[in-house]
Structure formats: C-alpha cells, structure tokens
Amino acid sequence: MYKTRYCSRFATTVLNALLNFCCCCVLDHVDEQQTEAYKKLEVLLTYSRQILTENDLGGYTIPAKGLYPYQWNWDSALVAMGWATFDEARAWEEMTKLFSAQWDDGMVSHIVFHKPSTTYFPGPEIWGSVEKPRKSTGITQPPVAAITVHKLYEQAVNKELALTKVRELFPKLLAWHRWFKTARDPENTGLVATLHPWESGMDNSPAWDEPLRNVPVDDIPPYVRADLTHVNSSMRPSQAEYDRFLTLVYRFRAVDYDCKQLYYLSPFRVTDLCTNSVLYRANLSLRWLAEMLGELDVVPEIDEWLEGFRVAFSSLYDPAVKMFKSKDQLTGKLLNASTSAGFLPLFARIATPSQAQELAATLEQWLSCVKYGIPSNDPNSADFEPLRYWRGPIWAIVNWMITDGLLAYGYDALAQRVESDTYELLGSGICEYYDPTDGKPAGGGSFSWTAAMCLAWLGKCATSA
C-alpha cells in the first residue's frame, strides 16, 4: 500500500516537473503529455545506466573518471542500488568487490585501490609508502552496505542468487559493525566516533570547522592536489583543510592505523550525524538480515547496539534551532553548524515524532530561501557557499535519504517537493552536486551515485507506477 501510494504520487511529480502539467487539459492532451514525459524519463534512465556501465572497471564502479578513479565505500553501496534496477548480478558483484578488501579487524576502508592511477591524491603510496603502497586507506566511511544488502534481497527477482550473496556477506557486515562498536566506541557511549573528515563522507562540512581548527598542521611532505586539475578550486575543500586532512593521515600512518590507538591519539574526534544515523539504520537492516537467515544468536548483540543509540541520540538534538547537530567529543560540545546531516535522524528512524515535526519546519524554512533543495548547509548561515562541495550544494544521495525519512514520518508533501526538485536538477546533467540557488550542475560529471539515485529512487518509483 505504502509503495503504491508513493510511486503514484511521484509519477505525478514527474509530469509536473517536466511539462508543467495542467489538470484542466483535455484527456487526449493529458495522454500526449504523459507519453512525452515518460519518453524524457526513459532518456534520463538510459543515460544513467550508461554512466554506470562506462564507470565500471571490472566488478567495481568508480564515482567519476579522473576525479575519483578508485572504489569508494559508501559510493559503491549506493551505486549497487542503481545496478540492481537492470543487472542484479552486477549489483551483488559491486558489494562482493568492496568487501574483498575488508581488513582482518573488520574495517571496510573508505577507498580501495584496485588499479594504479595518477589522477588522484592521496593515493596508495601516501597511505602506505612508495616502497610498499597500501591496497586501501586506513579509515572508513558511513556504513551504507547493510542497508543496500537488505534492499537488494527484498527487491531481488533472482532470490536464489540473492540468498547466496546475503549468506556470503552477512558475516562480513557483522564484523564491520562490530568493528564500529569496538574501534569507534571503546568507552561504550552508544555513539561512534569519526576520526577524520573523510570518514564522514562530507569532507569539508562547516560542522568540521571548529574541531579542525584544533588540529595542528604538522611538517608534512609537500604535495600537489590532483583534484584541482579536474574541478575548479571554488568547488573544492580549501588548502588549509587539506593540510589538516593530510596531517591526520600521516599521524594515523605512523601507528599503522592501529584502531586501539587512533581513537585516543586523533586530535579530531567527533560524533558525526551522518555516520551515526546511517549506522543505526544499518543495524536495523543487519538485524532483519540476521532473523531472515536464522542467525538468531547475534540478535541480542545488535539489539544492545540499537538501544545504546536510542539512549544517546537525544544528546545531539538542539531544541533552540530545531536541529540535530554533530558533537566534538574532545570538548563535549555540540558543534555550531546546522547542515543537511541534521535531518538524517529521520532516515535512521531515530527522531521522536516531536523532533520530526520540528525538523520538517526547519526544512521548510531552508527551502524558502533557495530555488532548489536540499542545500548541504543552512542557507541562512554566513558560511553558506552554494558551489563549494559540502558547504552548500545539493547532493542527490542526501536528498534520497532525507526524503525516505520524511515519508516514514508522514511528511509526504515536503518529500514531494524534494523529489520534484531533484528530478529537475538531474535533468540538467548527472553530476556530483548542484547549486541550490540556480540549479547549476557542479563538481564531477557523469557521476555514478547520482545516476544510481536516478535509477533506484526517482526513476524506479515513476516507472513502477
């Protein structure tokens, strides 16, 4: 019932966004408009499938040519959802390839260096050494994978293949989630720590400005940023941020990424809303998978993690601004910035009904300030930059997560606004992110996880209607 209502409503959104649909038109004209709308939709879906195919380097999908030439953790988990809409076997292969590089302690790295490349910095020789480059980075990313595996199984046509793959992946997922608990919450606070801005997936978020200022810049080796050869510097993190990013990498490398040491030695240690929201939702999926597989002995352990989150998460809510905020674990203070990650507890299903109501009101206020939503930073903020990476631009993957949460809490009209905006933005190009003030595509082009969102979220709902 829920899925049918959702898809039917989005089909109407597609028509409105593409053709400014007028309900007073005669029936024949309506049919003509619908035909034209779905032709345009199919062009967009075809292009999205083409992007995934062209970015496929043999079992793993790079985010974008040149700019991101390796396999990224949460990118791949999201991209697998897109693959699943037209090639289920390839979707499972994406997940298998990601976990092929899992560390012995359970961690799944934020980048896997499958093949050499000269178009990205810092590469495997920085995470290891020129003499002995590492095969992956020594940090992680938001753990979307269990959510993806859950969705792939539920939506699978080939259930036999799906069950086989779930059985293979479940112990690897469980080991990763256990790693989060032991390596990133050794003090049993209920919430996990993020030790590098790259681990958050939202590298230069304004939320990290305060804790990054407390990271001293070491005497690091000179370096040349490869990202600036692909994208204008006005759209990327600043040089000062990069100096601190690399300072942390070299400090972590000095102890060989020993998770028992990193938690205590890192001068950057935050409770990231994105990571914790995704992990809570992923634990719900992991629990579902455990029950489906009959792995009932691990359910109490997962329940204990979930309860820890539920008790601790309320400490991240700031009623004065009606938003969830990340926290600096070293000072114990909520960070000042209000970012789009503040809405992700809706995706997690961990916000209370009253908090959800206030979040919806805050989101409506944000949307009143921009042409398109959802900006990654509060558009009323002095540090709002509509084109600089995570300091203002719209990201389709975040729009999907927030919309998923809005629907779960019953804010259908608000979800429809975000869906419609996203569909219109993607019509201008399948890019990394978008300017919320005018819809201009920005960052990397032919971007894989944006294409995946077009297929698995927007297009799938419209076509299934």
Side-chain angles (χ1 to χ4, degrees):
M1 178 66 72
Y2 171 80
K3 181 177 179 181
T4 301
R5 178 172 59 86
Y6 171 55
C7 292
S8 298
R9 181 174 48 75
F10 183 73
T12 302
T13 301
V14 171
L15 296 175
N16 288 339
L18 287 173
L19 299 168
N20 192 23
F21 179 73
C22 177
C23 63
C24 62
C25 296
V26 297
L27 184 59
D28 288 345
H29 191 45
V30 170
D31 290 342
E32 188 178 306
Q33 285 187 319
Q34 286 180 327
T35 299
E36 184 64 22
Y38 284 110
K39 283 181 180 178
K40 292 182 178 181
L41 172 63
E42 188 52 43
V43 168
L44 191 55
L45 297 179
T46 299
Y47 181 43
S48 295
R49 289 189 285 266
Q50 178 183 332
I51 288 173
L52 295 192
T53 301
E54 291 181 351
N55 287 343
D56 180 1
L57 292 192
Y60 69 97
T61 311
I62 61 172
K65 293 179 180 178
L67 183 59
Y68 302 111
Y70 303 113
Q71 184 177 26
W72 261 257
N73 185 325
W74 72 326
D75 289 69
S76 269
L78 291 158
V79 164
M81 298 182 193
W83 278 111
T85 64
F86 66 102
D87 190 338
E88 286 185 19
R90 180 60 187 78
W92 289 115
E93 188 179 13
E94 188 80 25
M95 301 306 297
T96 300
K97 195 77 169 181
L98 177 62
F99 279 88
S100 69
Q102 186 170 28
W103 287 31
D104 291 342
D105 64 5
M107 187 187 76
V108 182
S109 299
H110 100 288
I111 305 174
V112 184
F113 303 117
H114 291 294
K115 297 177 182 178
S117 176
T118 60
T119 65
Y120 179 83
F121 177 88
E125 72 288 344
I126 299 299
W127 291 92
S129 66
V130 175
E131 298 77 18
K132 191 177 180 181
R134 296 199 72 92
K135 296 180 180 179
S136 59
T137 61
I139 58 177
T140 193
Q141 269 193 329
V144 179
I147 303 169
T148 296
V149 170
H150 183 178
K151 285 183 175 293
L152 294 189
Y153 179 81
E154 281 198 313
Q155 298 168 7
V157 174
N158 188 340
K159 287 295 186 183
E160 183 178 355
L161 172 65
L163 183 58
T164 298
K165 293 301 181 181
V166 172
R167 290 194 186 280
E168 291 175 2
L169 289 167
F170 179 78
K172 300 176 185 293
L173 291 165
L174 180 62
W176 189 20
H177 287 221
R178 282 174 170 163
W179 176 88
F180 267 107
K181 184 61 184 174
T182 58
R184 292 296 192 259
D185 187 23
E187 298 178 88
N188 199 30
T189 67
L191 300 170
V192 301
T194 291
L195 305 183
H196 193 296
W198 287 338
E199 284 197 319
S200 73
M202 301 180 176
D203 306 5
N204 69 330
S205 168
W208 315 143
D209 289 357
E210 295 173 70
L212 267 181
R213 279 195 289 268
N214 295 323
V215 176
V217 178
D218 293 343
D219 185 19
I220 58 178
Y223 64 94
V224 177
R225 290 175 57 180
D227 61 318
L228 301 184
T229 66
H230 304 288
V231 178
N232 189 287
S233 61
S234 64
M235 300 181 188
R236 298 293 296 172
S238 69
Q239 192 66 28
E241 288 167 327
Y242 248 82
D243 287 345
R244 287 168 171 80
F245 295 163
L246 287 169
T247 290
L248 292 170
V249 170
Y250 283 112
R251 288 194 181 194
F252 295 176
R253 191 179 81 169
V255 298
D256 199 27
Y257 311 102
D258 180 359
C259 65
K260 294 180 180 178
Q261 298 186 59
L262 293 190
Y263 179 87
Y264 297 101
L265 70 80
S266 178
F268 180 95
R269 195 173 88 208
V270 302
T271 303
D272 168 37
L273 276 171
C274 179
T275 298
N276 280 277
S277 294
V278 169
L279 182 54
Y280 182 84
R281 177 73 179 270
N283 279 331
L284 292 176
S285 286
L286 190 68
R287 189 187 193 283
W288 186 94
L289 292 168
E291 290 194 326
M292 186 273 292
L293 293 172
E295 300 282 352
L296 302 182
D297 57 320
V298 303
V299 170
E301 181 182 5
I302 300 171
D303 283 342
E304 185 176 341
W305 300 341
L306 291 167
E307 180 60 21
F309 274 103
R310 284 190 285 266
V311 171
F313 225 93
S314 60
S315 68
L316 303 180
Y317 192 70
D318 185 350
V321 294
K322 300 178 180 179
M323 279 288 282
F324 282 91
K325 291 185 174 182
S326 294
K327 179 185 286 188
D328 188 334
Q329 291 194 2
L330 299 178
T331 66
K333 296 180 180 179
L334 290 179
L335 296 165
N336 288 327
S338 293
T339 70
S340 58
F343 301 109
L344 292 181
L346 298 173
F347 175 71
R349 314 295 198 261
I350 201 168
T352 67
S354 61
Q355 289 168 344
Q357 184 177 22
E358 292 187 335
L359 288 172
T362 300
L363 179 55
E364 287 179 337
Q365 197 280 323
W366 280 30
L367 295 178
S368 71
C369 299
V370 291
K371 186 175 182 180
Y372 300 98
I374 300 169
S376 49
N377 186 19
D378 182 354
N380 302 292
S381 172
D383 54 21
F384 173 70
E385 296 182 76
L387 280 175
R388 192 182 292 279
Y389 215 42
W390 290 96
R391 303 185 73 86
I394 298 165
W395 295 75
I397 60 141
V398 178
N399 278 12
W400 164 66
M401 288 191 285
I402 295 173
T403 299
D404 179 90
L406 289 169
L407 289 166
Y409 283 86
Y411 295 96
D412 291 18
L414 194 52
Q416 182 176 356
R417 159 72 197 274
V418 178
E419 291 165 353
S420 180
D421 283 2
T422 310
Y423 193 86
E424 188 171 345
L425 291 169
L426 268 59
S428 66
I430 308 294
C431 294
E432 189 173 8
Y433 44 85
Y434 302 85
D435 186 331
T437 65
D438 61 10
K440 178 182 177 182
S446 298
F447 213 82
S448 292
W449 72 7
T450 309
M453 288 298 97
C454 183
L455 293 164
W457 170 32
L458 302 175
K460 187 174 182 181
C461 285
T463 54
S464 63

